[in-house]
Amino acid sequence: MSDAVKILLVEDDRIIASLVKKYLDIRGYVVHHAEDGVNGLKEFEKFDFDLIILDVMMPHKDGYTLAEEIRAKDPYIPILFMSSNNLPKDKIKAFRIGADDYVTKPVNVEELLLRIEVILKRQNNQPKVDQLKEEDPQEIHIGKYVLDFPYQKLMYGDDVRKLTTREAELLRFLFRHRNNLIKREYILQEVWGDDDYYKGRSLDVFMSRLRKYLKEDPTIEILNVHGIGFKFLVAEKV
């Protein structure tokens, strides 16, 4: 079945991997299983996948490292972490890397399936790079900066900074809503796909990054309106 969604499952616990793979196979997904991060990267480079499910604690290469390597090769593929690490710092680290979701063990396979469906639906509704070139200007002028959205580059004169996918999406979103109060929940729903608490913490981190990236232009300001949201202020050109 060529149209079947292909999932790469990287999990060193064979019992958990067998349970998840069996359940997803029944639901029509094509699941490739790798038992550690090294083999996970090999599988990723060998086949085209629609979604990646990663454990964190694995031999030879942990899930965070593997996620960073995958993100460097493909900034768009959805990544879902599945881990027994349930501390806030672990989840925040995953979202900083660019995770789309994070579930904790023991895994409820019904919940996992629903999360996968939500991620894939969101992914299918997002315009591809070629569509973005047609529907949005390739270069978005933000004060003295230029955002090349399809290639995720932020330029200030001769200085060029490579952005992550999430950073570029968030900056474009903020510019579209510039000089207006934007509620946190709305940002999270539109850019992250939901307003989960841990994604909210990740949002604050991303806002701090953008402030740093845009600091050379004093006409640009990101205001935190406590308890409500943010204002992305850009002085209008006279």
Side-chain angles (χ1 to χ4, degrees):
M1 190 160 77
S2 60
D3 293 335
V5 171
K6 300 179 185 65
I7 295 176
L8 173 59
L9 170 64
V10 189
E11 168 63 65
D12 66 324
D13 188 315
R14 293 185 179 181
I15 296 176
I16 294 176
S18 176
L19 173 65
V20 171
K21 185 179 186 308
K22 181 178 180 180
Y23 188 81
L24 293 178
D25 285 343
I26 293 173
R27 295 305 182 103
Y29 295 102
V30 175
V31 181
H32 290 229
H33 173 227
E35 293 188 350
D36 59 64
V38 172
N39 286 308
L41 184 61
K42 290 179 180 178
E43 285 289 303
F44 173 76
E45 293 175 337
K46 197 185 307 181
F47 302 100
D48 291 326
F49 293 100
D50 300 292
L51 183 139
I52 313 290
I53 301 176
L54 300 179
D55 185 15
V56 172
M57 303 303 295
M58 295 184 293
H60 310 306
K61 183 179 294 185
D62 65 81
Y64 293 136
T65 302
L66 177 56
E68 288 175 333
E69 293 175 347
I70 289 174
R71 274 281 170 262
K73 296 175 181 293
D74 186 340
Y76 298 102
I77 189 166
I79 296 176
L80 185 155
F81 277 93
M82 184 176 68
S83 174
S84 56
N85 295 348
N86 59 6
L87 294 176
K89 67 180 182 67
D90 297 311
K91 298 179 181 181
I92 290 171
K93 182 175 182 178
F95 287 122
R96 281 178 176 171
I97 292 171
D100 292 84
D101 207 342
Y102 191 110
V103 296
T104 55
K105 300 174 183 177
V107 176
N108 181 303
V109 287
E110 284 287 350
E111 178 187 351
L112 179 65
L113 177 66
L114 290 173
R115 288 177 180 269
I116 289 171
E117 289 175 350
V118 168
I119 291 173
L120 293 174
K121 180 179 180 181
R122 185 165 69 236
Q123 188 78 0
N124 290 335
N125 289 336
Q126 289 179 349
K128 304 299 181 185
V129 173
D130 290 341
Q131 292 176 315
L132 290 170
K133 291 180 181 177
E134 297 175 2
E135 299 170 5
D136 293 300
Q138 288 195 27
E139 295 186 347
I140 302 172
H141 292 264
I142 306 173
K144 297 178 181 179
Y145 290 85
V146 177
L147 172 64
D148 185 336
F149 182 77
Y151 294 97
Q152 300 171 209
K153 294 178 181 179
L154 182 64
M155 296 170 283
Y156 181 83
D158 294 329
D159 182 41
V160 179
R161 179 186 296 275
K162 185 71 170 72
L163 302 182
T164 66
T165 301
R166 193 76 73 188
E167 288 170 347
E169 290 174 345
L170 178 58
L171 182 53
R172 184 183 68 165
F173 177 85
L174 291 173
F175 183 72
R176 284 176 170 175
H177 298 273
R178 61 192 179 276
N179 301 324
N180 292 305
L181 176 60
I182 320 170
K183 292 186 177 181
R184 293 178 64 91
E185 294 81 3
Y186 182 57
I187 299 173
L188 291 169
Q189 287 286 354
E190 293 298 310
V191 180
W192 267 262
D194 64 59
D195 56 0
D196 176 82
Y197 169 78
Y198 295 104
K199 292 187 177 70
R201 294 286 296 274
S202 181
L203 171 61
D204 293 324
V205 172
F206 276 85
M207 288 297 190
S208 295
R209 285 188 201 167
L210 292 184
R211 287 191 184 98
K212 180 180 178 181
Y213 299 163
L214 300 167
K215 66 181 181 180
E216 299 300 329
D217 189 345
T219 68
I220 300 174
E221 188 175 4
I222 301 177
L223 293 181
N224 183 2
V225 182
H226 184 69
I228 302 176
F230 296 89
K231 274 190 175 183
F232 185 68
L233 301 178
V234 182
E236 297 294 339
K237 295 182 179 180
V238 179

